[in-house]
Amino acid sequence: MSFDGFPPFISAQLQYLLAHYPQLIKVEQVWSGSKYFPGSLDRFTLLIPYCLDYLRWDIIYNVEFPLAAPDVIFGPEDENFHPFHDLGGEGGDLRLVKNSLTDWNNKDPARLLALIEELRDKYMSYQKKRVGEVDDDRLKFEISTILSREGIEMHMSSGVEKAEEVKFAVPLMDMNINKMVLACPWRHPQRIYLQVVYPVGRKYVSAPSAPRLKLMSTAELKALFSIDDVKLPPWLDGMCLAEYLPHLEQLLQRQVSEAVSLIDVRRRFIEALAPLFGRPLEADPVFCRKATFLSASGPFTLLHFNSHGAPAKSPLLNDYPWSPRWEVSQMAERVFDFLVDESVNFKRQCNESQLQH
């Protein structure tokens, strides 16, 4: 997005944040809070990835006092989140601790990044503390069995109109998917997560129900592998998350490895099409899912438009011959023969339509 309208020091900090934050962070809206310089933007809402969702924090600068550090307004559910105060004073009084705001420097473009990273880390600790205080024996047991896994995030949600529940975001598979893809185009690391949601209860039961489970991933991963096609293993009676995760990770590792190997299969198929169709006009060189060829089969001249003024075109063909048991050269020949026959049918349909008009 464009940062026109921001003072240079805010624009520099915001651009540095978006370019260097380890995950995809977004700016939802921007506005001005100055009554003297209404055209000068000095505040915005950040969407910060957390626990497979987004935290919406308002960052409030003051264009009339550019040397001052910004204020941060957290979400309505986080009124008890006080990241830069500590109950360490005499009698349990709140005490301000040194942080990214105490030595603010508006000329340093990295300051906003440091502030957001520090706040997010403190928010993660805050949510972990909230979840740890929940009076639910099952949750306490589940937490004790998975805390050794790195990167787990958790969130406690509650409200007047909804039941209390705890959500976990569990990163799966200790494998670098980016390095598995030749000429990888991704700037951010690609990960797959399991979202686990437990309702908060008050009593331990011998056979608690299964939590709500959902696979999620970074958006760009769909170019290689869609988690929508993965069928989750069943959750057996009496099972805990620490038992469930290894089976799921083994399943995903096999499917991701297979998806990577299929890139080369598709590449060889596109190469096998070239002797029959000619050199492709363009092709996807990384995932090899698309290729465009310009080919001809006999003379055919067409100047025909339908009633809406659109040029005639053949229907989308999805039933072309294909089998994983064929060699790629044999598959290319069969596809070529299939398209030759389809072009004859298309010519006939166009000629018949032309005669009718």
Side-chain angles (χ1 to χ4, degrees), residues 2-17 44:
S2 173
F3 300 115
D4 296 339
F6 282 104
F9 77 98
I10 299 180
S11 177
Q13 292 185 13
L14 187 52
Q15 292 190 57
Y16 190 93
L17 169 70
F44 46 88

Side-chain angles (χ1 to χ4, degrees), residues 272-334:
L273 291 173
L276 299 167
F277 288 86
R279 184 180 178 86
L281 299 179
E282 59 181 2
D284 170 13
V286 179
F287 302 105
C288 302
R289 292 192 179 278
K290 295 181 179 180
T292 302
F293 293 86
L294 180 61
S295 188
S297 174
F300 181 49
T301 303
L302 172 68
L303 183 60
H304 179 67
F305 296 86
N306 63 20
S307 59
H308 300 288
K313 63 180 181 180
S314 66
L316 183 65
L317 304 175
N318 292 318
D319 57 346
Y320 52 86
W322 175 88
S323 172
R325 295 182 295 274
W326 298 340
E327 294 291 335
V328 290
S329 58
Q330 181 187 13
M331 191 182 303
E333 290 177 2
R334 295 194 181 199

Side-chain angles (χ1 to χ4, degrees), residues 128-261:
K128 181 178 177 181
K129 183 174 183 294
R130 288 190 70 202
V131 172
E133 293 172 349
V134 171
D135 184 17
D136 185 304
D137 291 337
R138 180 195 187 183
L139 266 173
K140 291 181 184 296
F141 173 74
E142 291 282 11
I143 293 172
S144 69
T145 63
I146 62 173
L147 277 184
S148 60
R149 295 178 67 101
E150 294 185 3
I152 291 181
E153 296 179 353
M154 56 189 75
H155 184 268
M156 171 78 179
S157 64
S158 59
V160 177
E161 299 180 356
K162 61 181 180 180
E164 288 185 330
E165 60 182 26
V166 170
K167 178 172 65 176
F168 293 93
V170 184
L172 302 173
M173 303 186 304
D174 186 18
M175 59 194 304
N176 191 326
I177 300 178
N178 292 46
K179 287 188 175 181
M180 299 172 67
V181 178
L182 188 65
C184 174
W186 300 317
R187 184 166 72 91
H188 299 285
Q190 299 303 302
R191 298 301 304 264
I192 300 176
Y193 301 87
L194 180 66
Q195 182 187 82
V196 188
V197 181
Y198 291 97
V200 175
R202 294 297 176 185
K203 295 181 179 179
Y204 178 80
V205 292
S206 58
S209 60
R212 300 202 308 271
L213 304 173
K214 183 180 180 181
L215 277 180
M216 301 180 70
S217 74
T218 40
E220 298 93 338
L221 188 62
K222 289 185 178 180
L224 169 70
F225 171 75
S226 175
I227 58 170
D228 296 336
D229 299 329
V230 177
K231 183 178 180 181
L232 286 171
W235 181 282
L236 305 179
D237 290 342
M239 178 176 278
C240 68
L241 192 56
E243 296 174 299
Y244 183 81
L245 292 176
H247 301 288
L248 176 59
E249 289 182 314
Q250 290 175 7
L251 171 67
L252 289 172
Q253 285 172 353
R254 289 196 302 269
Q255 297 199 19
V256 169
S257 297
E258 180 181 351
V260 172
S261 67

